Amino acid sequence: MDINTMLNNFYEDNVKMSRNETSRNVSVVTPLVNDILQYVHERDKRFQIQPLNVGSYYSHLKVSRADEFDYSVVLDVGSPFRWTSGTPAYYNFSENKEVVKTPIPLPSAPVGKCFTDIPGTIQHWNKERLNEGPACLTIDDHIIPIRVKRRFKALVSEAINRPDIRPYVDARRLSESPATTLIICHPHIVGDQISVDLTPLIKSHASFKSEFGWPRPGARWPSRTKIEEIKAEGIHLVAKHPCYWSLSFVMCEKILIDGIDSNGTCRKKSQRIMKKLREMWCPKGTKQELTSYHLKTIFFWECENHPFDSEWANDKTSERIGSMCYQIIEHIRCGNLPLYFYTGVNLLENKDRHVLGQVVQNILRFLKNPEYYLL
């Protein structure tokens, strides 16, 4: 049996999601999320009701089962954003959560990774008495990420503590992740539980800077139309670090993926197969140092390196998967995987090289004997 046939069979048997199972899970998740965000909005009008549907499920890159859903919840700040060259204000938070109004050094991060200023005042919040007491999200008119996370998590916790929702939903503790994660256990879902990430996001629509390295001169992918659409959307902000806003390319990535197989190509299928294979490549009992986001980044680079639809015809699936495998190996060995939209960010920084070395060995075994993994 040739490798393309094996990959197609593997896709049908192990990667594709059941429509019936997916429909059942969506029918539970959607009303729950809508109800929670309706409650949050009623308590704090700054958090908009209608979320942005992001993540692998809504990009049609999810594999096996619809058990993870991602939403971005827009925080309405009502102020313009721009890049600045000055030194931003940073604040330190002591263990008792009181604010120490002393600027702290820029946290360790690639240059440009943080949004350097949120200019202007936000008087309309105060006029509506939305920025006082526990609802205060600012210091000196700067919106503080950890305050946004705490406020949002508190409101979500209130929402799921109501009697009609409490038996089915639990919220994980606040973490370094920008998201508030909900765990849904419900008699009508397929599987043990469903994970839902709700991430507050500021739609800053910030422009791409030249040092980001995107779009690349001479690149044949994506199309000029797609590039202009992504530029018009711009870059947004999420609260990953307590003291500074991190850049989010989540909507840029969503736009990039939308319609990617409109000509009947195998781009998404190839990426989904890679995600399923990753589960077998990563050593059991260790931290998953090679993540789905790493694979998405590899996928974007592969699309740019092989920009023509003819290179993604269905009979080229094995070529593209093999090429992406060698990309992973090369990036791990040199210890650098550049973020697609901002090449100054290394996604392999601070990853366990020993674990990644084991991943490389498993990928090499796959390339040498794909039948072992696919049959």
Side-chain angles (χ1 to χ4, degrees):
M1 188 184 300
D2 68 274
I3 184 65
N4 270 315
T5 300
M6 285 190 287
L7 286 169
N8 285 327
N9 291 342
F10 180 79
Y11 178 77
E12 294 293 330
D13 296 339
N14 299 282
V15 178
K16 287 181 68 174
M17 296 187 295
S18 164
R19 290 188 177 183
N20 289 336
E21 290 184 3
T22 300
S23 178
R24 284 179 58 183
N25 286 0
V26 170
S27 69
V28 172
V29 169
T30 301
L32 271 173
V33 169
N34 289 342
D35 185 78
I36 289 167
L37 294 183
Q38 176 72 39
Y39 178 92
V40 170
H41 179 73
E42 289 174 356
R43 295 294 308 275
D44 193 328
K45 296 292 190 292
R46 294 170 294 187
F47 294 105
Q48 296 185 6
I49 297 177
Q50 186 61 46
L52 305 176
N53 299 332
V54 297
S56 59
Y57 173 76
Y58 290 105
S59 295
H60 304 288
L61 292 175
K62 190 75 179 71
V63 301
S64 301
R65 173 164 286 163
D67 55 2
E68 295 178 353
F69 295 83
D70 298 282
Y71 302 91
S72 291
V73 181
V74 177
L75 175 67
D76 180 13
V77 299
S79 299
F81 291 80
R82 59 183 173 82
W83 292 107
T84 66
S85 57
T87 302
Y90 294 98
Y91 297 90
N92 191 12
F93 293 81
S94 64
E95 292 183 0
N96 63 6
K97 302 182 181 180
E98 294 296 324
V99 177
V100 180
K101 290 193 176 182
T102 305
I104 61 174
L106 186 69
S108 176
V111 174
K113 191 174 182 180
C114 20
F115 202 77
T116 56
D117 195 17
I118 301 178
T121 58
I122 8 182
Q123 295 300 329
H124 74 283
W125 282 9
N126 292 328
K127 288 179 181 177
E128 299 177 22
R129 306 187 69 83
L130 291 174
N131 198 43
E132 299 177 2
C136 180
L137 305 181
T138 62
I139 301 175
D140 299 334
D141 291 325
H142 285 75
I143 306 170
I144 307 302
I146 189 63
R147 288 192 168 189
V148 173
K149 287 175 64 174
R150 287 173 180 161
R151 174 64 173 166
F152 183 69
K153 175 66 180 288
L155 293 175
V156 169
S157 296
E158 289 180 18
I160 66 175
N161 199 37
R162 291 171 294 164
D164 55 332
I165 294 182
R166 188 187 307 131
Y168 309 117
V169 185
D170 188 23
R172 290 179 178 168
R173 296 181 61 185
L174 201 66
S175 67
E176 292 183 1
S177 167
T180 292
T181 300
L182 308 180
I183 302 301
I184 298 174
C185 298
H186 194 282
H188 292 160
I189 67 171
V190 177
D192 296 332
Q193 62 185 32
I194 295 174
S195 174
V196 175
D197 278 354
L198 302 174
T199 304
L201 175 142
I202 295 178
K203 294 186 77 172
S204 55
H205 298 290
S207 60
F208 282 82
K209 303 178 77 173
S210 60
E211 55 261 42
F212 288 7
W214 188 91
R216 277 159 281 284
R220 304 292 293 272
W221 185 91
S223 67
R224 174 53 54 184
T225 300
K226 185 72 78 171
I227 288 173
E228 294 306 317
E229 187 180 355
I230 290 170
K231 284 184 174 181
E233 178 66 33
I235 306 162
H236 302 314
L237 307 175
V238 292
K240 187 172 183 179
H241 188 277
C243 306
Y244 66 84
W245 290 95
S246 296
L247 303 182
S248 170
F249 298 93
V250 63
M251 292 306 295
C252 299
E253 293 165 357
K254 189 174 189 296
I255 293 170
L256 193 57
I257 291 171
D258 285 347
I260 201 170
D261 285 322
S262 58
N263 292 332
T265 49
C266 69
R267 289 181 174 91
K268 286 186 179 180
K269 182 173 78 171
S270 300
Q271 171 65 356
R272 293 174 72 187
I273 291 172
M274 290 288 289
K275 290 178 67 174
K276 192 64 180 179
L277 289 170
R278 184 194 72 87
E279 297 175 6
M280 294 183 271
W281 292 336
C282 293
K284 304 298 182 185
T286 64
K287 185 178 180 181
Q288 301 295 287
E289 298 287 23
L290 181 70
T291 68
S292 292
Y293 192 75
H294 291 140
L295 293 189
K296 181 191 283 189
T297 303
I298 291 286
F299 172 58
F300 289 152
W301 284 113
E302 184 74 9
C303 288
E304 184 170 306
N305 293 335
H306 298 274
F308 304 111
D309 286 349
S310 60
E311 298 175 284
W312 293 88
N314 278 287
D315 61 355
K316 302 289 186 181
T317 303
S318 62
E319 289 185 29
R320 296 282 66 79
I321 287 178
S323 178
M324 285 189 280
C325 286
Y326 283 114
Q327 264 208 75
I328 295 170
I329 293 170
E330 180 182 352
H331 286 295
I332 288 176
R333 283 178 171 171
C334 71
N336 184 32
L337 174 57
L339 183 67
Y340 181 73
F341 284 112
Y342 183 9
T343 56
V345 177
N346 176 13
L347 296 178
L348 295 181
E349 187 176 11
N350 300 322
K351 297 297 181 180
D352 189 318
R353 298 298 298 272
H354 176 70
V355 172
L356 289 176
Q358 295 178 61
V359 172
V360 166
Q361 293 305 311
N362 288 335
I363 295 175
L364 289 171
R365 292 188 185 99
F366 165 75
L367 292 170
K368 184 177 181 179
N369 183 21
E371 293 89 350
Y372 176 80
Y373 291 84
L374 299 176
L375 295 180

